[in-house]
Amino acid sequence: MLRVIGNSSAESIRRVSRLSNGAPVLIKGDVRDTAILDQVFDDNAIDAVIHLAGVKAVGESVKNPQKYYDINVSGSVCLFGAMQRHGVSNVVFSSSATVYGVPETSPLTEEMPTKPHNPYGQTKLMVEHILRDMTAANLGWRALLLRYFNPVGAHSSGEIGEDPHGIPDNLFPFIGMVATKRKPLLDVFGADYNTPDGTCIRDYIHVVDLARGHVKALDYLLSDRATDNSAKIVNLGTDQGSSVFQVIKAWEAACGFEIPFQVTNRRAGDVPAYYADSRRAKALLGWQAEHDLAQMCVDHWRWQTKNPDGYGK
Ligand code: UFG
């Protein structure tokens, strides 16, 4: 039996049950554990899989690449093998805009070159390739490869949101810690980039829009619009870039007080600016982002204030 190393909390599933019509079934296991996977497919009538199981810390992937190839790539191979054995051939895969590497221009369309510059990004691209090869092999597979930009925010109820272990690497959860006084100030990693205010620009997308993108993806895969041999790549972003300073301002508007920060050195590996072109998501899936940066901050702040200790692990 493999060790389960997930970051998630069973409490989040209990809260999803309260917010939704039906309680999700939780089976705890490791995506590399083929015995558990076979059991899940044996015990349930499954039409499609949304594959989100993976590790995603860029810095950690540089220090411990083997962990990333093992969980993200081997884990995906185990999952696809179990699907194949049980005749399940529809999959939505959680990929990332990180596969574009250091893009020269934005907005980014799905045709633009992929050249990930860290092991995490490599693993996402490798799984994309596996799915493209599997669909091309004419085995009846259909896949949607969703390239997420920067997911942030929380459910508007304030009941479910991001609860990272330890010190968060990412901007929104770090600002959340500063806003709740668990950190004295935010380090802004560089204000000397070639951008309008000198700070890096990203395409932040509300997690609820991201979740809706998955529902649309499933609808598409299970409809007659999808054909065999297709592995469609789809960007999920807002097509709007926001700088770190703009994010700080939006947070201040959401929480009603100043977020203390200091400008420090650039963070190694940061890309100056990128944002999505999501026209394909609209054309293929009928999806587009509905929440703006202000709403992302309001919802993240509500989650943070209602749950200062996250899920209370
Ligand atoms: N930043 C700060 N201070 C912080 C944290 C971040 O200034 O304390 C800045 C970063 O330098 C960057 C921006 O805020 O300019 C966004 O940084 P994040 O760490 O929040 O997000 P990244 O764009 O670096 O990466 C995220 C995910 C990746 C994913 C990528 C997809 O962490 O896993 O988006 O585009 F691949």
Side-chain angles (χ1 to χ4, degrees), residues 56-58 96-99 118 120-121 124 148-152 168-175 186-190 193 199-204 242-244 264 266-267 269-272 274:
K56 67 167 195 69
V58 171
S96 168
T98 200
V99 299
N118 55 59
Y120 163 66
K124 287 288 171 191
Y148 309 168
F149 280 68
N150 284 49
V152 298
D169 285 329
N170 299 118
L171 184 61
F172 265 66
F174 202 97
I175 294 180
L186 169 74
D187 285 341
V188 172
F189 299 140
Y193 286 95
T199 64
C200 291
I201 290 175
R202 295 287 181 276
D203 185 342
Y204 297 95
S242 303
S243 72
V244 177
T264 62
R266 293 180 175 194
R267 182 172 67 176
D270 266 343
V271 178
Y274 61 89

Side-chain angles (χ1 to χ4, degrees), residues 17-30:
S17 307
R18 289 207 296 271
L19 291 166
S20 57
N21 295 328
V25 176
L26 173 64
I27 300 156
K28 211 168 167 183
D30 190 304

Side-chain angles (χ1 to χ4, degrees), residues 36-228:
I36 285 192
L37 292 172
D38 281 330
Q39 194 70 53
V40 170
F41 285 103
D42 278 338
D43 292 349
N44 299 278
I46 295 177
D47 294 319
V49 171
I50 300 179
H51 176 25
L52 306 146
V55 278
K56 67 167 195 69
V58 171
E60 184 192 40
S61 81
V62 176
K63 291 191 193 111
N64 189 0
Q66 197 261 351
K67 173 178 173 183
Y68 278 68
Y69 288 101
D70 185 24
I71 297 173
N72 291 3
V73 182
S74 305
S76 297
V77 172
C78 289
L79 172 64
F80 302 151
M83 290 173 64
Q84 186 85 42
R85 286 192 291 282
H86 293 84
V88 180
S89 50
N90 294 307
V91 58
V92 178
F93 174 58
S94 157
S95 189
S96 168
T98 200
V99 299
Y100 294 113
V102 185
E104 274 155 30
T105 56
S106 277
L108 287 163
T109 65
E110 291 85 352
E111 283 80 26
M112 284 189 173
T114 49
K115 39 185 181 187
H117 62 299
N118 55 59
Y120 163 66
Q122 293 286 7
T123 65
K124 287 288 171 191
L125 192 58
M126 286 171 86
V127 178
E128 286 196 7
H129 284 309
I130 292 169
L131 285 171
R132 287 159 82 169
D133 290 344
M134 289 183 70
T135 50
N138 250 330
L139 301 168
W141 277 68
R142 296 191 278 202
L144 266 173
L145 318 179
L146 302 181
R147 290 182 178 162
Y148 309 168
F149 280 68
N150 284 49
V152 298
H155 190 263
S156 60
S157 62
E159 290 292 308
I160 43 180
E162 186 176 7
D163 180 19
H165 288 181
I167 311 284
D169 285 329
N170 299 118
L171 184 61
F172 265 66
F174 202 97
I175 294 180
M177 290 192 91
V178 175
T180 48
K181 318 284 186 235
R182 286 173 296 160
K183 286 280 165 198
L185 80 174
L186 169 74
D187 285 341
V188 172
F189 299 140
D192 57 350
Y193 286 95
N194 185 21
T195 59
D197 67 17
T199 64
C200 291
I201 290 175
R202 295 287 181 276
D203 185 342
Y204 297 95
I205 172 173
H206 196 293
V207 283
V208 170
D209 280 328
L210 195 69
R212 288 197 182 115
H214 290 72
V215 175
K216 293 278 191 186
L218 275 186
D219 286 348
Y220 172 85
L221 278 187
L222 298 175
S223 74
D224 51 16
R225 287 177 291 152
T227 54
D228 290 354

